Amino acid sequence: MTLICGAGAFGTALAVTLAQNGPVTLWARDADHAAEMQARRVNARRLPDVPLPEAITVISGSLPKGARLCLLAMPMQTLGGFLTAHHAALGHHALVACCKGMDLATGLGPTGLIAQTCPDAIPAILTGPSFARDIALGLPTALTLACADAATGAALQSSLTTPTLRLYRTTDTTGAELGGALKNVIAIGCGAVMGAGLGESARAALMTRGFAEMHRFAHALGARPDTLAGLSGFGDLVLTCTSEQSRNYRYGQSLGRGKDFDATLTVEGAATARAVLGRADALALDMPVTQAITALVTGELRVAQAVDMLLSRPLKEE
């Protein structure tokens, strides 16, 4: 049995595709939501047109025993609290984080939080260019599975691959999780550029300079350059910076248009921007794109001011 903790759109989508491989237990934080999904066989709140296969059982409350692997599909800023609350039940699992970002309280990524809270567990992360709806509908998707323990990574890759979900593995958990975290920050900026009507050339420039910052930051933390060039870095950046299916991109569009954004939707890049900038300052890294986007998110700058700040920087070699 595979256990997926988190019944949002992505957790549900993973449950739907992994049900092809065997029984899946999908844990929901909200008991009413779990009962509704189990009875109606659909996640009406997040994926209303995708039926749940019979191999999926939806529960809430205590975590079940006997799962052969566990996926953590919840927002980054709630992961730490969940691990603290359930560490006794999770301690000896291979725990696969399915969230992207950096924890504001600790500055850690998903695998770092797992290692800190559940020291007997084996941390891993599943990340890359993907939208929940595409996975749930069985559209071809390729992701990165990162685990520092090579043997566990190979076993997880085999268990989590389906006919339409192809996984590539790496032992570089730092690079994989930073690629997924940092691209959300750049996606907010790209959305703001397009929302403000600054054009696709400006978006391409921001993506490119943002990608350079991703490399700079990840290298300083020990990531391998080739990881950032792969699915979990460049691939995810391209998808998230160009599609309105991305919440981070849509949030940026709202900033660019000066409009409010749906407060019920999780925008991982907003918190991650602040966490990354704090870490970059501590490392004395120059990250002007991240600095400008953070100022947008916190309301310190408007889009026109952020553009002026970036364009007025001293000229330099690429």
Side-chain angles (χ1 to χ4, degrees):
M1 180 263 290
T2 298
L3 172 63
I4 300 176
C5 298
F10 200 71
T12 301
L14 288 173
V16 170
T17 193
L18 291 175
Q20 299 175 80
N21 295 349
V24 175
T25 297
L26 180 61
W27 179 91
R29 176 181 56 82
D30 185 295
D32 291 338
H33 188 202
E36 175 188 302
M37 291 177 64
Q38 181 66 12
R40 296 181 57 187
R41 307 307 301 167
V42 68
N43 188 344
R45 304 183 191 184
R46 292 291 183 262
L47 288 172
D49 56 348
V50 179
L52 300 182
E54 289 303 314
I56 297 175
T57 302
V58 188
I59 66 167
S60 63
S62 300
L63 298 183
K65 298 179 180 179
R68 60 189 179 90
L69 61 96
C70 177
L71 283 70
L72 307 172
M74 59 197 63
M76 182 67 218
Q77 301 309 318
T78 66
L79 178 62
F82 176 84
L83 291 171
T84 298
H86 298 281
H87 71 276
L90 296 171
H92 299 283
H93 284 77
L95 300 180
V96 183
C98 304
C99 49
K100 301 171 182 179
M102 291 180 68
D103 181 54
L104 265 175
T106 64
L108 296 172
T111 60
L113 273 183
I114 292 171
Q116 181 184 78
T117 314
C118 303
D120 293 328
I122 300 176
I125 184 168
L126 184 65
T127 184
S130 58
F131 291 131
R133 182 175 173 78
D134 292 351
I135 291 175
L137 293 177
L139 300 179
T141 303
L143 298 176
T144 296
L145 187 284
C147 182
D149 183 292
T152 300
L156 290 170
Q157 180 187 36
S158 178
S159 296
L160 297 174
T161 293
T162 75
T164 56
L165 183 63
R166 179 177 175 83
L167 304 187
Y168 291 82
R169 74 177 185 272
T170 178
T171 56
D172 183 13
T173 56
T174 299
E177 67 181 18
L178 286 177
L182 297 167
K183 60 87 185 180
N184 281 336
V185 179
I186 308 305
I188 292 174
C190 287
V193 162
M194 298 305 289
L198 299 180
E200 294 187 0
S201 296
R203 175 171 61 181
L206 189 68
M207 284 177 63
T208 305
R209 298 311 305 162
F211 189 52
E213 287 192 10
M214 289 171 61
H215 265 280
R216 193 178 311 143
F217 186 83
H219 176 73
L221 295 183
R224 299 201 303 259
D226 61 312
T227 306
L228 272 293
L231 289 166
S232 60
F234 178 72
D236 213 357
L237 179 73
V238 171
L239 181 69
T240 312
C241 290
T242 59
S243 174
E244 293 193 3
Q245 287 194 67
S246 163
R247 289 186 297 251
N248 292 279
Y249 182 76
R250 294 201 312 273
Y251 173 68
Q253 285 182 314
S254 296
L255 291 176
R257 294 166 180 162
K259 296 183 177 181
D260 292 333
F261 188 72
D262 186 349
T264 66
L265 297 178
T266 300
V267 181
E268 295 284 18
T272 298
R274 303 199 301 276
V276 168
L277 189 60
R279 194 77 179 272
D281 288 344
L283 294 169
L285 294 175
D286 184 30
M287 297 184 65
V289 172
T290 301
Q291 184 180 8
I293 294 168
T294 303
L296 282 179
V297 167
T298 58
E300 297 172 42
L301 292 179
R302 296 188 300 275
V303 173
Q305 294 171 309
V307 170
D308 286 343
M309 184 185 83
L310 291 173
L311 293 181
S312 64
R313 283 172 53 81
L315 299 177
K316 56 181 286 188
E317 290 186 354
E318 187 172 26

